Amino acid sequence: MASESAPHAFMADAKELVDAGQFGKAIEVLQQGLKKFPKMVSARVMLGEVYRTSGDLALARVELEQVIKAAPDNFAAYRKLAQVYHELGDTASAVKACETILHANPKDREMSHRLEELQGGGAKAAQAKKAQHPEKHEAAKAAADANVKADHAASASAGGELSLTMEGSGEVTDSVTLAELYISQGYREKGLEVYRRLAAEEPDNLRLHEKIMALTEEEVRASQAAAKASQKTLDQAKRKAHIRRLEGWLAVIRGRRRT
């Protein structure tokens, strides 16, 4: 197998194991690789997919949800989550995942077809199965949360604090929904960039320009607030230093009077 120290090499090793049906070993290889390269989002997406393929839907769900929380524009993770939600019987979440992809890329035929199936009631049987044993699903979800947190803690101790970034999830179409998705996840600057590109394509769209102006004004206000807070801290430090000097002089004067 390829050297484990090289980025992406462990993913190739894991793929070979998956192709051979050795899912347990593939999961172990991915987990060990992510301890060395915790920022490889593509490896985490692959780990979620292997969990799903091996039948561990709860772990697959948690792993993939961690990815989209950190990288909201990773549509590969949304695509796999749609399948996981469907198999878990969570139709509402599956529909939402499909719609997120279609808002960014309305021409995605696979997601359009899957959305039609979901809205047509294709997941009713799975939903009924989940309703019969809700305690099992909750227990599996809790165990999955604990396992993933442990994996992430191990990754942080081995390779620094966990920080996920997008690694090229494919071509994405600019849209208002994509911009708002960025903003809702805390990526305000990325959202603003999307709005600016949309405004360049539609210069007569007043709503886009108003949104850009509103976001820009919010950034200015936030910057001003930060500057005021910084100035306040500086003023407080100056006052404390001045008080310490006065106290020092007072101590000297008192000492002279005693002598």
Side-chain angles (χ1 to χ4, degrees), residues 75-123:
F75 294 100
Y78 275 108
R79 188 179 301 276
K80 297 183 186 303
L81 261 176
Q83 180 66 23
V84 170
Y85 289 142
H86 173 64
E87 293 179 9
L88 282 171
D90 189 349
T91 306
S93 295
V95 168
K96 186 176 180 180
C98 291
E99 289 177 341
T100 298
I101 295 174
L102 289 170
H103 278 308
N105 183 13
K107 297 180 180 179
D108 193 314
R109 294 183 179 179
E110 179 186 349
M111 287 297 101
S112 295
H113 180 65
R114 176 162 293 170
L115 182 59
E116 289 176 2
E117 289 183 341
L118 289 168
Q119 291 176 333

Side-chain angles (χ1 to χ4, degrees), residues 194-205:
V194 173
Y195 272 120
R196 284 170 176 163
R197 289 196 294 269
L198 290 171
E201 295 176 0
E202 302 179 49
D204 296 329
N205 191 322

Side-chain angles (χ1 to χ4, degrees), residues 24-245:
K25 290 184 178 180
I27 290 170
E28 184 178 348
V29 167
L30 287 168
Q31 289 174 336
Q32 291 300 319
L34 282 166
K35 289 180 181 179
K36 296 180 180 180
F37 307 103
K39 295 183 180 181
M40 289 187 64
V41 177
S42 56
R44 292 197 175 276
V45 174
M46 184 178 183
L47 178 58
E49 174 62 11
V50 177
Y51 279 139
R52 187 195 71 80
T53 305
S54 65
D56 202 334
L57 296 176
L59 275 176
R61 175 177 185 163
V62 174
E63 191 69 36
L64 292 169
E65 285 179 346
Q66 290 288 332
V67 172
I68 62 172
K69 182 178 180 180
D73 49 3
N74 193 305
F75 294 100
Y78 275 108
R79 188 179 301 276
K80 297 183 186 303
L81 261 176
Q83 180 66 23
V84 170
Y85 289 142
H86 173 64
E87 293 179 9
L88 282 171
D90 189 349
T91 306
S93 295
V95 168
K96 186 176 180 180
C98 291
E99 289 177 341
T100 298
I101 295 174
L102 289 170
H103 278 308
N105 183 13
K107 297 180 180 179
D108 193 314
R109 294 183 179 179
E110 179 186 349
M111 287 297 101
S112 295
H113 180 65
R114 176 162 293 170
L115 182 59
E116 289 176 2
E117 289 183 341
L118 289 168
Q119 291 176 333
K124 287 183 179 179
Q127 185 68 33
K129 182 178 179 181
K130 179 181 177 181
Q132 290 175 359
H133 304 286
E135 68 285 351
K136 291 184 179 180
H137 287 273
E138 291 302 321
K141 182 67 164 57
D145 286 336
N147 288 337
V148 171
K149 287 179 180 178
D151 290 342
H152 287 177
S155 295
S157 63
E161 184 178 357
L162 178 64
S163 175
L164 300 180
T165 56
M166 181 183 175
E167 291 185 354
S169 57
E171 184 178 354
V172 178
T173 304
D174 285 337
S175 66
V176 172
T177 301
L178 179 61
E180 289 300 320
L181 181 62
Y182 276 132
I183 293 169
S184 67
Q185 294 289 340
Y187 296 86
R188 184 176 297 275
E189 186 59 35
K190 285 188 176 183
L192 184 56
E193 289 175 3
V194 173
Y195 272 120
R196 284 170 176 163
R197 289 196 294 269
L198 290 171
E201 295 176 0
E202 302 179 49
D204 296 329
N205 191 322
L206 183 59
R207 289 185 178 181
L208 292 176
H209 291 287
E210 289 176 345
K211 188 65 178 181
I212 291 171
M213 184 177 295
L215 287 171
T216 303
E217 289 176 351
E218 287 178 11
E219 285 192 352
V220 171
R221 286 195 295 270
S223 178
Q224 290 174 342
K228 287 181 180 179
S230 178
Q231 184 61 45
K232 183 178 180 180
T233 301
L234 180 61
D235 291 342
Q236 289 176 344
K238 287 181 178 179
R239 283 196 295 271
K240 288 181 179 180
H242 183 61
I243 291 172
R244 284 196 295 269
R245 285 196 298 271

